[in-house]
Amino acid sequence: MHRLITILNIFLLLLLATPLYAGSSFQYIRQIQSDNLIGYKSVVLDKDVYAHSNQLADLRVLNDQDEEVPYVIASVQDASTETAKASFILLEEAQYVSTQEGTDTIITIQANHLNAFRLELITNDTIERTYGLFGVTDQSTHYLSEGELSNLPPSDSSMKKAIDWTNTPPVDKLRLIVHNRDAKPIILNSINVKYYLTKLVYKDLGNSEYRLAYGNDTLRSAIYDVPVNKAIINKEVITQSTLGAEISAPTIATPPKTFSNHKLLFIIPSLVVIFLLILGVRRKIKKTD
């Protein structure tokens, strides 16, 4: 009898300790660094978010009570003014590696999982070449663009050579194949890449600290009763915030309050069953005695 009661007690403790909120485990947490004032805030989703998130479906904004905060994902397509559109574009110098294969120059450029759309070659050489450009991910390589590279007339031999393309998802790398034919390989000074940024917009109530959590393959895009309207990105009311360092240790967030009722609905019937089971065993023992 005592052994049975001990087993039932252990089961009860496990039941109470087991979280029923399956989506509460995230592999990555980042502090949102803002001015802590009331208003709409936005953060740029960088290469680390793209690399470690489940296609942005598992993003969650949590306050200091570990409650979910409604947010919206905004892109350049949601901007209607030139100022708003410019805020979604980033130009930066990219790292690259150049190799030779026969008469072709193969240039591999780091795109860092971002949505690149323009490539600028900086060179002092006078060039006239043909090229092919490809996007590279872990799974595949796909075509982006092809055409001619030329910086003639030679009066401005340091002009930027730009390659544009459209309709591409975020890529890990860009592979530029320059066909030199009988000409010498191009000597590059640098390469610039332009990206379309993606932003996460949420409302700061001014009474909490906020974190961005992601890295959970079981979660899908959240649907909120009070969503954030995408139209607000065209108003002058959004403050740009930044993301802190990525913490990769698994973190268990406290379930939102809405899940506590579901847990009680599961625990109470289990307690009743356990209690009735104990009474039944005791009656059986008394009859045997």
Side-chain angles (χ1 to χ4, degrees):
M1 178 65 181
H2 292 291
R3 181 178 296 178
L4 177 60
I5 293 176
T6 301
I7 294 174
L8 291 175
N9 286 334
I10 293 174
F11 172 76
L12 179 60
L13 288 173
L14 291 174
L15 179 65
L16 292 171
T18 304
L20 297 181
Y21 179 39
S24 63
S25 177
F26 299 96
Q27 293 183 352
Y28 304 96
I29 294 286
R30 297 176 72 175
Q31 198 75 23
I32 299 177
Q33 300 171 342
S34 68
D35 54 14
N36 294 322
L37 299 177
I38 297 176
Y40 288 101
K41 308 293 172 65
S42 70
V43 292
V44 173
L45 303 180
D46 58 19
K47 59 184 179 182
D48 292 327
V49 176
Y50 278 105
H52 298 146
S53 172
N54 179 24
Q55 298 180 346
L56 306 185
D58 58 343
L59 299 185
R60 297 295 185 270
V61 177
L62 305 175
N63 61 18
D64 53 12
Q65 300 298 317
D66 288 323
E67 298 168 330
E68 287 191 27
V69 177
Y71 70 86
V72 67
I73 299 295
S75 66
V76 68
Q77 285 78 18
D78 301 306
S80 62
T81 67
E82 292 303 317
T83 301
K85 290 179 181 179
S87 70
F88 283 94
I89 296 176
L90 169 68
L91 173 66
E92 66 177 12
E93 185 174 334
Q95 296 181 340
Y96 67 93
V97 176
S98 181
T99 59
Q100 286 295 127
E101 292 187 7
T103 61
D104 292 342
T105 301
I106 312 297
I107 306 172
T108 302
I109 304 130
Q110 294 295 331
N112 296 325
H113 302 276
L114 296 175
N115 193 355
F117 69 93
R118 183 181 178 92
L119 193 64
E120 297 179 349
L121 306 182
I122 314 301
T123 178
N124 292 324
D125 291 353
T126 301
I127 60 174
E128 193 170 12
R129 309 281 198 279
T130 58
Y131 75 91
L133 181 66
F134 302 86
V136 181
T137 63
D138 292 336
Q139 294 79 20
S140 63
T141 298
H142 55 275
Y143 166 84
L144 295 178
S145 175
E146 64 181 339
E148 296 184 356
L149 291 171
S150 175
N151 60 1
L152 300 176
S155 58
D156 187 9
S157 60
S158 63
M159 70 177 295
K160 300 175 182 178
K161 295 318 305 167
I163 300 172
D164 297 284
W165 64 97
T166 58
N167 300 324
T168 175
V171 294
D172 302 334
K173 300 176 183 178
L174 298 168
R175 181 171 296 151
L176 177 64
I177 302 177
V178 180
H179 306 296
N180 299 304
R181 297 181 182 177
D182 297 331
K184 294 181 179 180
I186 302 171
I187 298 177
L188 294 171
N189 297 333
S190 62
I191 295 179
N192 293 335
V193 179
K194 269 190 175 182
Y195 306 97
Y196 284 125
L197 301 176
T198 302
K199 297 181 182 181
L200 181 148
V201 181
Y202 69 98
K203 188 173 183 179
D204 188 341
L205 299 179
N207 58 357
S208 179
E209 293 184 353
Y210 297 91
R211 295 164 294 154
L212 179 64
Y214 53 95
N216 187 328
D217 292 338
T218 66
L219 293 182
R220 298 295 179 266
S221 297
I223 300 177
Y224 300 107
D225 294 334
V226 185
V228 179
N229 191 346
K230 283 189 177 183
I232 65 173
I233 69 170
N234 294 307
K235 300 178 182 179
E236 301 297 329
V237 295
I238 298 182
T239 302
Q240 182 68 43
S241 301
T242 59
L243 290 174
E246 185 179 76
I247 301 174
S248 59
T251 301
I252 304 299
T254 303
K257 294 179 180 179
T258 53
F259 285 89
S260 60
N261 293 333
H262 295 289
K263 190 170 184 178
L264 288 174
L265 291 175
F266 181 80
I267 291 174
I268 291 173
S270 300
L271 292 174
V272 172
V273 172
I274 292 172
F275 180 73
L276 293 176
L277 181 60
I278 293 173
L279 288 179
V281 172
R282 292 185 64 180
R283 288 179 180 177
K284 185 175 181 180
I285 292 174
K286 288 181 178 180
K287 289 181 179 180
T288 302
D289 293 339

